[in-house]
Amino acid sequence: MAQRKFYNPELDTTERYTEVWKIELVQVRDESNLMVRNHYWKDSDGELWGDFNNPMENVTRSFAAYRSKKGYMTPEDIRKLRHNLGLTVRQFAKRLGIAPSSLTQIENNLRVQVKYQDNLFKAAKTFYEENGHLPGNCSSNEDGVIDKQLSGLLDKSEYQPSINYAEDHLYTNNIYTDLEVMGVAV
């Protein structure tokens, strides 16, 4: 077992911690019982702590398990698509009709996209793979409404959201409502 000395700001102490890996059941949004291998550091009293240098580590693992279970695109895939299109975050978000801040959070793995957003990403990817670009041009889409051709792709059954977007959107306010770890304090 690896050991490392950490400063614990909550206890205002520096001591040796022992590395611990635990397989845990977590819930992210509507998916419960996701099995995730989480990483902790155990203090001399046996208390488990998240990584002091990477506090989002276990959240990231939970988000990855959720995306995998749902078949959602990964943040890396979304960023790669945007880069291939030669678009900034603001431009890509505008073309899809979503907030740039939402896209930034999704690409940085601070938020899990909702089904509707994942459908947009997949439709954009499909259109790009078939045509080498997105439909229309940015300047003709000033109001931020999803391009009509891209919107038409969403009519295909493979992209139909299974959850009402308005209801699903309620879960995206912040990272702590996106993740509820059963039995572990976040």
PDB file of all heavy atoms in Angstrom, residues 90-121:
ATOM      1  N   ARG A  90     -17.738  29.132 -27.611  1.00  0.00           N
ATOM      2  CA  ARG A  90     -18.878  30.032 -27.830  1.00  0.00           C
ATOM      3  C   ARG A  90     -19.564  29.745 -29.172  1.00  0.00           C
ATOM      4  O   ARG A  90     -20.781  29.665 -29.251  1.00  0.00           O
ATOM      5  CB  ARG A  90     -18.422  31.482 -27.746  1.00  0.00           C
ATOM      6  CG  ARG A  90     -19.552  32.493 -27.797  1.00  0.00           C
ATOM      7  CD  ARG A  90     -19.071  33.900 -27.516  1.00  0.00           C
ATOM      8  NE  ARG A  90     -18.484  34.105 -26.202  1.00  0.00           N
ATOM      9  CZ  ARG A  90     -19.173  34.190 -25.068  1.00  0.00           C
ATOM     10  NH1 ARG A  90     -20.470  34.099 -25.084  1.00  0.00           N
ATOM     11  NH2 ARG A  90     -18.555  34.387 -23.932  1.00  0.00           N
ATOM     12  N   GLN A  91     -18.779  29.568 -30.231  1.00  0.00           N
ATOM     13  CA  GLN A  91     -19.353  29.308 -31.557  1.00  0.00           C
ATOM     14  C   GLN A  91     -20.086  27.968 -31.601  1.00  0.00           C
ATOM     15  O   GLN A  91     -21.189  27.875 -32.129  1.00  0.00           O
ATOM     16  CB  GLN A  91     -18.254  29.322 -32.622  1.00  0.00           C
ATOM     17  CG  GLN A  91     -17.656  30.681 -32.886  1.00  0.00           C
ATOM     18  CD  GLN A  91     -16.385  30.586 -33.727  1.00  0.00           C
ATOM     19  OE1 GLN A  91     -15.645  29.603 -33.680  1.00  0.00           O
ATOM     20  NE2 GLN A  91     -16.132  31.643 -34.502  1.00  0.00           N
ATOM     21  N   PHE A  92     -19.464  26.930 -31.053  1.00  0.00           N
ATOM     22  CA  PHE A  92     -20.076  25.598 -31.074  1.00  0.00           C
ATOM     23  C   PHE A  92     -21.361  25.587 -30.250  1.00  0.00           C
ATOM     24  O   PHE A  92     -22.386  25.060 -30.684  1.00  0.00           O
ATOM     25  CB  PHE A  92     -19.077  24.566 -30.561  1.00  0.00           C
ATOM     26  CG  PHE A  92     -19.492  23.129 -30.761  1.00  0.00           C
ATOM     27  CD1 PHE A  92     -20.054  22.690 -31.954  1.00  0.00           C
ATOM     28  CD2 PHE A  92     -19.284  22.194 -29.764  1.00  0.00           C
ATOM     29  CE1 PHE A  92     -20.411  21.353 -32.141  1.00  0.00           C
ATOM     30  CE2 PHE A  92     -19.626  20.865 -29.927  1.00  0.00           C
ATOM     31  CZ  PHE A  92     -20.199  20.435 -31.119  1.00  0.00           C
ATOM     32  N   ALA A  93     -21.305  26.189 -29.065  1.00  0.00           N
ATOM     33  CA  ALA A  93     -22.499  26.244 -28.210  1.00  0.00           C
ATOM     34  C   ALA A  93     -23.627  26.987 -28.923  1.00  0.00           C
ATOM     35  O   ALA A  93     -24.787  26.559 -28.887  1.00  0.00           O
ATOM     36  CB  ALA A  93     -22.157  26.917 -26.883  1.00  0.00           C
ATOM     37  N   LYS A  94     -23.284  28.087 -29.574  1.00  0.00           N
ATOM     38  CA  LYS A  94     -24.290  28.873 -30.293  1.00  0.00           C
ATOM     39  C   LYS A  94     -24.922  28.044 -31.403  1.00  0.00           C
ATOM     40  O   LYS A  94     -26.143  28.070 -31.579  1.00  0.00           O
ATOM     41  CB  LYS A  94     -23.634  30.131 -30.868  1.00  0.00           C
ATOM     42  CG  LYS A  94     -24.589  31.051 -31.586  1.00  0.00           C
ATOM     43  CD  LYS A  94     -23.842  32.287 -32.060  1.00  0.00           C
ATOM     44  CE  LYS A  94     -24.771  33.228 -32.777  1.00  0.00           C
ATOM     45  NZ  LYS A  94     -24.053  34.408 -33.263  1.00  0.00           N
ATOM     46  N   ARG A  95     -24.117  27.309 -32.137  1.00  0.00           N
ATOM     47  CA  ARG A  95     -24.633  26.478 -33.228  1.00  0.00           C
ATOM     48  C   ARG A  95     -25.576  25.407 -32.707  1.00  0.00           C
ATOM     49  O   ARG A  95     -26.527  25.027 -33.379  1.00  0.00           O
ATOM     50  CB  ARG A  95     -23.490  25.820 -33.987  1.00  0.00           C
ATOM     51  CG  ARG A  95     -22.554  26.783 -34.693  1.00  0.00           C
ATOM     52  CD  ARG A  95     -23.197  27.556 -35.829  1.00  0.00           C
ATOM     53  NE  ARG A  95     -23.619  26.734 -36.921  1.00  0.00           N
ATOM     54  CZ  ARG A  95     -22.860  26.353 -37.932  1.00  0.00           C
ATOM     55  NH1 ARG A  95     -21.609  26.737 -37.978  1.00  0.00           N
ATOM     56  NH2 ARG A  95     -23.332  25.598 -38.877  1.00  0.00           N
ATOM     57  N   LEU A  96     -25.287  24.890 -31.502  1.00  0.00           N
ATOM     58  CA  LEU A  96     -26.123  23.835 -30.931  1.00  0.00           C
ATOM     59  C   LEU A  96     -27.312  24.382 -30.149  1.00  0.00           C
ATOM     60  O   LEU A  96     -28.224  23.640 -29.810  1.00  0.00           O
ATOM     61  CB  LEU A  96     -25.285  22.936 -30.015  1.00  0.00           C
ATOM     62  CG  LEU A  96     -24.158  22.165 -30.693  1.00  0.00           C
ATOM     63  CD1 LEU A  96     -23.398  21.352 -29.658  1.00  0.00           C
ATOM     64  CD2 LEU A  96     -24.681  21.273 -31.792  1.00  0.00           C
ATOM     65  N   GLY A  97     -27.278  25.680 -29.826  1.00  0.00           N
ATOM     66  CA  GLY A  97     -28.366  26.274 -29.058  1.00  0.00           C
ATOM     67  C   GLY A  97     -28.268  25.991 -27.572  1.00  0.00           C
ATOM     68  O   GLY A  97     -29.281  25.886 -26.885  1.00  0.00           O
ATOM     69  N   ILE A  98     -27.028  25.823 -27.075  1.00  0.00           N
ATOM     70  CA  ILE A  98     -26.841  25.627 -25.635  1.00  0.00           C
ATOM     71  C   ILE A  98     -25.944  26.742 -25.106  1.00  0.00           C
ATOM     72  O   ILE A  98     -25.271  27.422 -25.865  1.00  0.00           O
ATOM     73  CB  ILE A  98     -26.244  24.240 -25.299  1.00  0.00           C
ATOM     74  CG1 ILE A  98     -24.840  24.068 -25.881  1.00  0.00           C
ATOM     75  CG2 ILE A  98     -27.164  23.135 -25.791  1.00  0.00           C
ATOM     76  CD1 ILE A  98     -24.170  22.765 -25.484  1.00  0.00           C
ATOM     77  N   ALA A  99     -25.934  26.903 -23.806  1.00  0.00           N
ATOM     78  CA  ALA A  99     -25.128  27.959 -23.187  1.00  0.00           C
ATOM     79  C   ALA A  99     -23.637  27.605 -23.265  1.00  0.00           C
ATOM     80  O   ALA A  99     -23.259  26.458 -23.001  1.00  0.00           O
ATOM     81  CB  ALA A  99     -25.538  28.143 -21.735  1.00  0.00           C
ATOM     82  N   PRO A 100     -22.794  28.582 -23.598  1.00  0.00           N
ATOM     83  CA  PRO A 100     -21.340  28.330 -23.622  1.00  0.00           C
ATOM     84  C   PRO A 100     -20.813  27.834 -22.275  1.00  0.00           C
ATOM     85  O   PRO A 100     -19.930  26.983 -22.229  1.00  0.00           O
ATOM     86  CB  PRO A 100     -20.744  29.694 -23.978  1.00  0.00           C
ATOM     87  CG  PRO A 100     -21.834  30.427 -24.677  1.00  0.00           C
ATOM     88  CD  PRO A 100     -23.112  29.934 -24.056  1.00  0.00           C
ATOM     89  N   SER A 101     -21.372  28.345 -21.189  1.00  0.00           N
ATOM     90  CA  SER A 101     -20.915  27.898 -19.863  1.00  0.00           C
ATOM     91  C   SER A 101     -21.223  26.412 -19.657  1.00  0.00           C
ATOM     92  O   SER A 101     -20.429  25.688 -19.057  1.00  0.00           O
ATOM     93  CB  SER A 101     -21.539  28.741 -18.759  1.00  0.00           C
ATOM     94  OG  SER A 101     -22.948  28.630 -18.787  1.00  0.00           O
ATOM     95  N   SER A 102     -22.362  25.958 -20.163  1.00  0.00           N
ATOM     96  CA  SER A 102     -22.700  24.528 -20.063  1.00  0.00           C
ATOM     97  C   SER A 102     -21.708  23.694 -20.848  1.00  0.00           C
ATOM     98  O   SER A 102     -21.221  22.669 -20.361  1.00  0.00           O
ATOM     99  CB  SER A 102     -24.111  24.262 -20.586  1.00  0.00           C
ATOM    100  OG  SER A 102     -25.072  24.882 -19.780  1.00  0.00           O
ATOM    101  N   LEU A 103     -21.397  24.123 -22.068  1.00  0.00           N
ATOM    102  CA  LEU A 103     -20.449  23.382 -22.894  1.00  0.00           C
ATOM    103  C   LEU A 103     -19.071  23.348 -22.237  1.00  0.00           C
ATOM    104  O   LEU A 103     -18.421  22.294 -22.203  1.00  0.00           O
ATOM    105  CB  LEU A 103     -20.357  23.994 -24.296  1.00  0.00           C
ATOM    106  CG  LEU A 103     -19.390  23.313 -25.261  1.00  0.00           C
ATOM    107  CD1 LEU A 103     -19.725  21.835 -25.447  1.00  0.00           C
ATOM    108  CD2 LEU A 103     -19.378  24.033 -26.606  1.00  0.00           C
ATOM    109  N   THR A 104     -18.629  24.466 -21.687  1.00  0.00           N
ATOM    110  CA  THR A 104     -17.338  24.511 -21.001  1.00  0.00           C
ATOM    111  C   THR A 104     -17.315  23.530 -19.838  1.00  0.00           C
ATOM    112  O   THR A 104     -16.356  22.768 -19.667  1.00  0.00           O
ATOM    113  CB  THR A 104     -17.040  25.938 -20.495  1.00  0.00           C
ATOM    114  OG1 THR A 104     -16.943  26.809 -21.623  1.00  0.00           O
ATOM    115  CG2 THR A 104     -15.753  25.999 -19.694  1.00  0.00           C
ATOM    116  N   GLN A 105     -18.373  23.512 -19.029  1.00  0.00           N
ATOM    117  CA  GLN A 105     -18.433  22.597 -17.884  1.00  0.00           C
ATOM    118  C   GLN A 105     -18.432  21.141 -18.338  1.00  0.00           C
ATOM    119  O   GLN A 105     -17.786  20.290 -17.724  1.00  0.00           O
ATOM    120  CB  GLN A 105     -19.669  22.890 -17.036  1.00  0.00           C
ATOM    121  CG  GLN A 105     -19.579  24.191 -16.292  1.00  0.00           C
ATOM    122  CD  GLN A 105     -20.884  24.559 -15.603  1.00  0.00           C
ATOM    123  OE1 GLN A 105     -21.939  23.981 -15.877  1.00  0.00           O
ATOM    124  NE2 GLN A 105     -20.816  25.528 -14.718  1.00  0.00           N
ATOM    125  N   ILE A 106     -19.146  20.849 -19.420  1.00  0.00           N
ATOM    126  CA  ILE A 106     -19.193  19.474 -19.933  1.00  0.00           C
ATOM    127  C   ILE A 106     -17.816  19.069 -20.449  1.00  0.00           C
ATOM    128  O   ILE A 106     -17.317  17.989 -20.129  1.00  0.00           O
ATOM    129  CB  ILE A 106     -20.276  19.334 -21.023  1.00  0.00           C
ATOM    130  CG1 ILE A 106     -21.674  19.486 -20.401  1.00  0.00           C
ATOM    131  CG2 ILE A 106     -20.152  17.996 -21.751  1.00  0.00           C
ATOM    132  CD1 ILE A 106     -22.791  19.711 -21.409  1.00  0.00           C
ATOM    133  N   GLU A 107     -17.191  19.932 -21.256  1.00  0.00           N
ATOM    134  CA  GLU A 107     -15.867  19.616 -21.804  1.00  0.00           C
ATOM    135  C   GLU A 107     -14.808  19.472 -20.711  1.00  0.00           C
ATOM    136  O   GLU A 107     -13.853  18.727 -20.869  1.00  0.00           O
ATOM    137  CB  GLU A 107     -15.418  20.688 -22.801  1.00  0.00           C
ATOM    138  CG  GLU A 107     -16.069  20.573 -24.151  1.00  0.00           C
ATOM    139  CD  GLU A 107     -15.416  21.467 -25.200  1.00  0.00           C
ATOM    140  OE1 GLU A 107     -14.393  22.126 -24.900  1.00  0.00           O
ATOM    141  OE2 GLU A 107     -15.937  21.504 -26.317  1.00  0.00           O
ATOM    142  N   ASN A 108     -14.974  20.174 -19.604  1.00  0.00           N
ATOM    143  CA  ASN A 108     -14.020  20.097 -18.491  1.00  0.00           C
ATOM    144  C   ASN A 108     -14.418  19.057 -17.458  1.00  0.00           C
ATOM    145  O   ASN A 108     -13.828  18.991 -16.379  1.00  0.00           O
ATOM    146  CB  ASN A 108     -13.845  21.469 -17.845  1.00  0.00           C
ATOM    147  CG  ASN A 108     -13.103  22.421 -18.757  1.00  0.00           C
ATOM    148  OD1 ASN A 108     -12.171  22.026 -19.451  1.00  0.00           O
ATOM    149  ND2 ASN A 108     -13.526  23.669 -18.784  1.00  0.00           N
ATOM    150  N   ASN A 109     -15.436  18.267 -17.765  1.00  0.00           N
ATOM    151  CA  ASN A 109     -15.908  17.178 -16.908  1.00  0.00           C
ATOM    152  C   ASN A 109     -16.345  17.649 -15.526  1.00  0.00           C
ATOM    153  O   ASN A 109     -16.174  16.958 -14.532  1.00  0.00           O
ATOM    154  CB  ASN A 109     -14.848  16.082 -16.792  1.00  0.00           C
ATOM    155  CG  ASN A 109     -15.470  14.729 -16.521  1.00  0.00           C
ATOM    156  OD1 ASN A 109     -16.673  14.544 -16.669  1.00  0.00           O
ATOM    157  ND2 ASN A 109     -14.662  13.784 -16.108  1.00  0.00           N
ATOM    158  N   LEU A 110     -16.913  18.841 -15.473  1.00  0.00           N
ATOM    159  CA  LEU A 110     -17.462  19.360 -14.222  1.00  0.00           C
ATOM    160  C   LEU A 110     -18.974  19.176 -14.185  1.00  0.00           C
ATOM    161  O   LEU A 110     -19.611  19.494 -13.189  1.00  0.00           O
ATOM    162  CB  LEU A 110     -17.132  20.852 -14.082  1.00  0.00           C
ATOM    163  CG  LEU A 110     -15.648  21.186 -14.030  1.00  0.00           C
ATOM    164  CD1 LEU A 110     -15.437  22.696 -14.025  1.00  0.00           C
ATOM    165  CD2 LEU A 110     -14.999  20.534 -12.810  1.00  0.00           C
ATOM    166  N   ARG A 111     -19.519  18.674 -15.266  1.00  0.00           N
ATOM    167  CA  ARG A 111     -20.952  18.502 -15.405  1.00  0.00           C
ATOM    168  C   ARG A 111     -21.183  17.396 -16.423  1.00  0.00           C
ATOM    169  O   ARG A 111     -20.442  17.267 -17.388  1.00  0.00           O
ATOM    170  CB  ARG A 111     -21.523  19.819 -15.903  1.00  0.00           C
ATOM    171  CG  ARG A 111     -22.953  19.831 -16.272  1.00  0.00           C
ATOM    172  CD  ARG A 111     -23.283  21.179 -16.906  1.00  0.00           C
ATOM    173  NE  ARG A 111     -24.682  21.450 -16.823  1.00  0.00           N
ATOM    174  CZ  ARG A 111     -25.213  22.639 -16.903  1.00  0.00           C
ATOM    175  NH1 ARG A 111     -24.451  23.696 -17.052  1.00  0.00           N
ATOM    176  NH2 ARG A 111     -26.490  22.801 -16.835  1.00  0.00           N
ATOM    177  N   VAL A 112     -22.235  16.624 -16.214  1.00  0.00           N
ATOM    178  CA  VAL A 112     -22.633  15.605 -17.181  1.00  0.00           C
ATOM    179  C   VAL A 112     -23.733  16.190 -18.048  1.00  0.00           C
ATOM    180  O   VAL A 112     -24.686  16.789 -17.538  1.00  0.00           O
ATOM    181  CB  VAL A 112     -23.145  14.329 -16.478  1.00  0.00           C
ATOM    182  CG1 VAL A 112     -23.643  13.320 -17.499  1.00  0.00           C
ATOM    183  CG2 VAL A 112     -22.062  13.710 -15.619  1.00  0.00           C
ATOM    184  N   GLN A 113     -23.574  16.032 -19.351  1.00  0.00           N
ATOM    185  CA  GLN A 113     -24.599  16.531 -20.248  1.00  0.00           C
ATOM    186  C   GLN A 113     -25.923  15.805 -20.013  1.00  0.00           C
ATOM    187  O   GLN A 113     -25.944  14.655 -19.591  1.00  0.00           O
ATOM    188  CB  GLN A 113     -24.166  16.392 -21.714  1.00  0.00           C
ATOM    189  CG  GLN A 113     -24.000  14.964 -22.210  1.00  0.00           C
ATOM    190  CD  GLN A 113     -22.580  14.457 -22.088  1.00  0.00           C
ATOM    191  OE1 GLN A 113     -21.885  14.734 -21.121  1.00  0.00           O
ATOM    192  NE2 GLN A 113     -22.141  13.683 -23.069  1.00  0.00           N
ATOM    193  N   VAL A 114     -27.018  16.502 -20.291  1.00  0.00           N
ATOM    194  CA  VAL A 114     -28.331  15.863 -20.243  1.00  0.00           C
ATOM    195  C   VAL A 114     -28.544  15.160 -21.581  1.00  0.00           C
ATOM    196  O   VAL A 114     -27.823  15.405 -22.556  1.00  0.00           O
ATOM    197  CB  VAL A 114     -29.455  16.884 -19.947  1.00  0.00           C
ATOM    198  CG1 VAL A 114     -29.330  17.428 -18.534  1.00  0.00           C
ATOM    199  CG2 VAL A 114     -29.494  17.991 -20.965  1.00  0.00           C
ATOM    200  N   LYS A 115     -29.529  14.299 -21.649  1.00  0.00           N
ATOM    201  CA  LYS A 115     -29.793  13.511 -22.852  1.00  0.00           C
ATOM    202  C   LYS A 115     -29.960  14.404 -24.079  1.00  0.00           C
ATOM    203  O   LYS A 115     -29.416  14.117 -25.147  1.00  0.00           O
ATOM    204  CB  LYS A 115     -31.049  12.648 -22.637  1.00  0.00           C
ATOM    205  CG  LYS A 115     -31.426  11.787 -23.813  1.00  0.00           C
ATOM    206  CD  LYS A 115     -30.469  10.649 -23.992  1.00  0.00           C
ATOM    207  CE  LYS A 115     -30.960   9.703 -25.064  1.00  0.00           C
ATOM    208  NZ  LYS A 115     -29.960   8.730 -25.419  1.00  0.00           N
ATOM    209  N   TYR A 116     -30.696  15.480 -23.932  1.00  0.00           N
ATOM    210  CA  TYR A 116     -30.927  16.388 -25.049  1.00  0.00           C
ATOM    211  C   TYR A 116     -29.605  16.938 -25.589  1.00  0.00           C
ATOM    212  O   TYR A 116     -29.391  16.981 -26.796  1.00  0.00           O
ATOM    213  CB  TYR A 116     -31.836  17.531 -24.586  1.00  0.00           C
ATOM    214  CG  TYR A 116     -32.105  18.560 -25.652  1.00  0.00           C
ATOM    215  CD1 TYR A 116     -32.992  18.305 -26.682  1.00  0.00           C
ATOM    216  CD2 TYR A 116     -31.468  19.793 -25.630  1.00  0.00           C
ATOM    217  CE1 TYR A 116     -33.240  19.247 -27.665  1.00  0.00           C
ATOM    218  CE2 TYR A 116     -31.709  20.744 -26.605  1.00  0.00           C
ATOM    219  CZ  TYR A 116     -32.594  20.477 -27.622  1.00  0.00           C
ATOM    220  OH  TYR A 116     -32.825  21.400 -28.590  1.00  0.00           O
ATOM    221  N   GLN A 117     -28.709  17.337 -24.697  1.00  0.00           N
ATOM    222  CA  GLN A 117     -27.411  17.864 -25.125  1.00  0.00           C
ATOM    223  C   GLN A 117     -26.581  16.776 -25.802  1.00  0.00           C
ATOM    224  O   GLN A 117     -25.940  17.018 -26.823  1.00  0.00           O
ATOM    225  CB  GLN A 117     -26.657  18.458 -23.935  1.00  0.00           C
ATOM    226  CG  GLN A 117     -27.282  19.716 -23.397  1.00  0.00           C
ATOM    227  CD  GLN A 117     -26.749  20.095 -22.034  1.00  0.00           C
ATOM    228  OE1 GLN A 117     -26.353  19.242 -21.239  1.00  0.00           O
ATOM    229  NE2 GLN A 117     -26.743  21.390 -21.742  1.00  0.00           N
ATOM    230  N   ASP A 118     -26.595  15.563 -25.241  1.00  0.00           N
ATOM    231  CA  ASP A 118     -25.846  14.484 -25.857  1.00  0.00           C
ATOM    232  C   ASP A 118     -26.391  14.185 -27.251  1.00  0.00           C
ATOM    233  O   ASP A 118     -25.628  13.909 -28.173  1.00  0.00           O
ATOM    234  CB  ASP A 118     -25.875  13.222 -24.987  1.00  0.00           C
ATOM    235  CG  ASP A 118     -24.804  12.240 -25.424  1.00  0.00           C
ATOM    236  OD1 ASP A 118     -23.605  12.576 -25.283  1.00  0.00           O
ATOM    237  OD2 ASP A 118     -25.156  11.159 -25.932  1.00  0.00           O
ATOM    238  N   ASN A 119     -27.710  14.262 -27.411  1.00  0.00           N
ATOM    239  CA  ASN A 119     -28.306  14.068 -28.730  1.00  0.00           C
ATOM    240  C   ASN A 119     -27.810  15.126 -29.712  1.00  0.00           C
ATOM    241  O   ASN A 119     -27.548  14.829 -30.877  1.00  0.00           O
ATOM    242  CB  ASN A 119     -29.829  14.096 -28.647  1.00  0.00           C
ATOM    243  CG  ASN A 119     -30.374  12.867 -27.963  1.00  0.00           C
ATOM    244  OD1 ASN A 119     -29.709  11.842 -27.861  1.00  0.00           O
ATOM    245  ND2 ASN A 119     -31.593  12.956 -27.473  1.00  0.00           N
ATOM    246  N   LEU A 120     -27.682  16.365 -29.247  1.00  0.00           N
ATOM    247  CA  LEU A 120     -27.156  17.434 -30.103  1.00  0.00           C
ATOM    248  C   LEU A 120     -25.714  17.143 -30.504  1.00  0.00           C
ATOM    249  O   LEU A 120     -25.341  17.297 -31.677  1.00  0.00           O
ATOM    250  CB  LEU A 120     -27.222  18.784 -29.383  1.00  0.00           C
ATOM    251  CG  LEU A 120     -28.589  19.418 -29.244  1.00  0.00           C
ATOM    252  CD1 LEU A 120     -28.513  20.614 -28.295  1.00  0.00           C
ATOM    253  CD2 LEU A 120     -29.117  19.847 -30.601  1.00  0.00           C
ATOM    254  N   PHE A 121     -24.893  16.726 -29.539  1.00  0.00           N
ATOM    255  CA  PHE A 121     -23.500  16.414 -29.839  1.00  0.00           C
ATOM    256  C   PHE A 121     -23.409  15.287 -30.873  1.00  0.00           C
ATOM    257  O   PHE A 121     -22.629  15.358 -31.824  1.00  0.00           O
ATOM    258  CB  PHE A 121     -22.724  16.012 -28.576  1.00  0.00           C
ATOM    259  CG  PHE A 121     -22.660  17.077 -27.518  1.00  0.00           C
ATOM    260  CD1 PHE A 121     -22.767  16.741 -26.182  1.00  0.00           C
ATOM    261  CD2 PHE A 121     -22.482  18.414 -27.842  1.00  0.00           C
ATOM    262  CE1 PHE A 121     -22.700  17.711 -25.186  1.00  0.00           C
ATOM    263  CE2 PHE A 121     -22.411  19.398 -26.855  1.00  0.00           C
ATOM    264  CZ  PHE A 121     -22.519  19.039 -25.529  1.00  0.00           C
TER     265      PHE A 121
END
